[in-house]
Amino acid sequence: MNWRETLDTSWSAVRSHALRSVLTVLGILIGIAAVILTVGLGLGTQKDVSSQISSLGSDLLIVSPGSSTDSSGLRGGFGTGSSLTASDAEALSSSVNAPDIAAVAAEKSSSLSLEAGDGNWTTTVTGTTPSWLDVRSREMLSGEFIDEEDQDTAASVVVLGTETATELFGTTNVVGRTVTIDGRGLEVIGVLASAGSDSSSNLDDLAVVPLSTSSSQLVGASSASSVSTIYLKAAGDGQLSAAYQEATSVLLNLHGISAAADADFTIASQDALVDTATSIYRTLTVLLTGIAALSLLVGGIGVMNIMLVSVSERTREIGLRKALGAPPWAIRRQFLVEAAILGLSGGLLGAVLGIASAFALPGVIGSSIEVSPAAVVLSIVVAVGIGLLFGVYPATRAARLAPIDALRSE
Amino acid sequence: MVERASSDGIVEPVIRLTEAKKVYRSGSIEFEALRGVDLEIGEGEYVAVMGPSGSGKSTLMNILGCLDTLSSGSYRLAGADVDDFDEVELARIRNQRIGFVFQQFNLLPSLEAWRNVELPLLYARVPAADRRRRAEEALDRVGLGDRYGNRPGELSGGQQQRVAVARALVGEPTLILADEPTGNLDSVSTEDVLGLFDELHGLGRTIVLITHEQEVADRARRTVRVRDGLLHGEEVRA
Ligand SMILES: Nc1ncnc2c1ncn2[C@@H]1O[C@H](COP(=O)(O)OP(=O)(O)O)[C@@H](O)[C@H]1O
Ligand SMILES: [Mg+2]
């Protein structure tokens, strides 16, 4: 009896118990679809989050006011007051105190209304220093970014994001035009190249002015020297943690705080954000995949159960086949192939269901699902493996039956 | 099959049972179904085994058909001791040398007639096209030339038993073992089946037919009587 004939025989056995076979296949199918979906959901979310976070720029440390109470490294809430000032930023840019920090950009943001002609648009106005462009890894679409002179003279200039420019003027070709903020006219000197959006904000809808301009003119004098965030760029890939330590000690020193635990600021790295988010999603994925794998195991036990029923129901047939000359291996193979057929059908149908849901679900649940071809192939292999594994015992039992005992059974 | 000669040059019979005993055990209860049977059957013989129910006839046939093994004594089939064979070799012997006909027909209900008949050829690794042709020829021989595609459920008892006879002869075995093949048949079908055995005997096949009906036994040349697990005389008709 060759493979084709074995397949024929097993297939007709599967078909002759259609309902039972379908129910068995269903168990495996659900398990496989669940594995594909959970792995896909984990991968998709992980990818979403890390692409959002990496849009921040590389080698970046983010200093924010207020202490962080959670140990995960994620930024804590924006603190009670503005514990960070422009002079903190200045101290951090000293190459003596902080040799591993290449660039520093202090930021001070508020939501303000911009006017241009009869256009009117409210957006985030960020006061910052010339190094911002480099630190945030941004590029210019046209014109110039603010320079040292603008900073020193608190010049009346502004750089717009592409969306802001379009909202105000209907075009991004706006260098030389004038925008009015708080009654003060500012000349547009440049437009930032588009950078999409990150987890919290639209990176193309903003207006950037010199920090000095925003401190003296646009924001109340009481908080003139305070800033909302200081971005630090490490000198190199390997220097991020050195930069982190230098920034911590400089700021503790400046703020007159002796214990790091009492710090009135929080420093987070992009890596820490990515790592935290990644590890959360990895844990979730592992958990969900574990649950899915359990359901596969249950499916496998279903196959074994059905195969055992099948063997005892067909004892007489086994006896007859043996009487007619079937060697034990032919019987074993017949039942193994039968189990593998159940596993394979479950695997293939489960993959179809899983992939179909991966396309249909994101629209409903709002997070992307990344179908991993490796996971699909692997789960089909696993499904067949489960069929075989859980088929071995029933098949061996069938093969071992003594011909006469099998033939005599009712 | 060529009969093998033993060392002294005398041709060995197809079947030689010596001091054959079979003990069934169920739990602590032992039952001796064969209590020392000596039996020789030569090539081409047509032997009927008669005896009351429970006397050990089926036990004897299972031994002869290599479906079961002796508790003690020896069974030589065509000159070779069956005890020396492993499971795979026994399967091959059943496949190539023996054709079975059972009282209960033992057809697989989900398979068409010709599929049932081809089963022995399937395990003999005969190519598919040959199998079908030979299965259909065998069905022609038992008078079921118009029933190739019917499943057992669509056939009468007599027709089913003829399918079983076709299955027994399709592999051209030298030994046909039939355990009460007419036990479930009406007199017309009985006559059909016995006619087929006569034909096979005419072609030189060795036939062992178990029955408890005298008219059936009368078709054979030699009748062996079994009682309580022992041979109890035999008669040979002229
Ligand atoms: N598997 C078995 N286990 C125990 N006893 C058995 C078994 N098979 C047959 N017997 C007993 O052996 C005796 C002979 O049985 P059997 O050969 O089937 O008789 P027959 O075919 O002549 O009616 C009977 O008494 C029967 O009960
Ligand atoms: Mg009997």
Side-chain angles (χ1 to χ4, degrees), chain A residues 336-384:
Chain A
L336 269 184
V337 168
E338 203 174 311
I341 287 176
L342 293 176
L344 182 67
S345 321
L348 287 178
L349 294 175
V352 169
L353 180 68
I355 292 170
S357 323
F359 281 107
L361 280 183
V364 183
I365 59 175
S367 61
S368 48
I369 299 177
E370 173 117 332
V371 175
S372 134
V376 172
V377 171
L378 193 71
S379 47
I380 291 174
V381 170
V382 164
V384 176

Side-chain angles (χ1 to χ4, degrees), chain A residues 91-101 246 250:
Chain A
L92 288 170
S93 50
S94 148
S95 58
V96 179
N97 291 334
D100 291 301
I101 296 172
E246 286 160 15
V250 166

Side-chain angles (χ1 to χ4, degrees), chain A residues 1 5 8-9 316-317 320-331 334 399 401 403-404 407-408, chain B residues 24 62 67-68 87-88 91-92 94-95 100 102 104 106-108 111 115 119-120 122-123 125-126 131 167:
Chain A
M1 202 174 194
E5 291 149 8
D8 263 10
T9 307
R316 216 180 152 82
E317 173 186 336
L320 175 74
R321 286 180 184 274
K322 289 191 155 193
L324 298 180
W329 59 260
I331 301 291
Q334 182 187 330
L401 285 172
I404 187 57
L407 209 51
R408 245 195 238 115
Chain B
Y24 289 116
N62 294 336
L67 292 169
D68 209 352
E87 237 187 303
V88 176
R92 188 177 310 128
R94 288 195 294 269
N95 183 244
F100 292 97
F102 304 95
Q104 311 292 346
N106 276 343
L107 299 175
L108 297 184
L111 301 183
R115 288 257 182 214
L119 283 174
L122 197 64
Y123 294 114
R125 296 167 173 264
V126 174
R131 287 204 305 268
R167 184 181 63 194

Side-chain angles (χ1 to χ4, degrees), chain A residues 404-405 408, chain B residues 22-26 29-34 51-62 68 179-180 210 212 226 229:
Chain A
I404 187 57
D405 295 338
R408 245 195 238 115
Chain B
K22 177 67 189 179
V23 179
Y24 289 116
R25 284 188 186 81
S26 35
I29 304 157
E30 292 194 353
F31 183 83
E32 202 171 23
L34 295 182
S53 181
S55 56
K57 304 184 298 294
S58 293
T59 303
L60 181 63
M61 191 195 89
N62 294 336
D68 209 352
D179 190 353
E180 309 209 24
I210 289 170
H212 55 246
V226 186

Side-chain angles (χ1 to χ4, degrees), chain A residues 272-329:
Chain A
L273 290 174
V274 174
D275 285 354
T276 308
T278 306
S279 80
I280 289 172
Y281 286 110
R282 191 178 299 133
T283 309
L284 258 178
T285 305
V286 167
L287 197 77
L288 290 174
T289 309
I291 293 170
L294 263 182
S295 81
L296 260 186
L297 184 72
V298 172
I301 292 171
V303 170
M304 174 142 84
N305 189 18
I306 290 305
M307 291 309 298
L308 282 174
V309 169
S310 184
V311 167
S312 55
E313 211 180 60
R314 281 150 65 198
T315 306
R316 216 180 152 82
E317 173 186 336
I318 294 165
L320 175 74
R321 286 180 184 274
K322 289 191 155 193
L324 298 180
W329 59 260

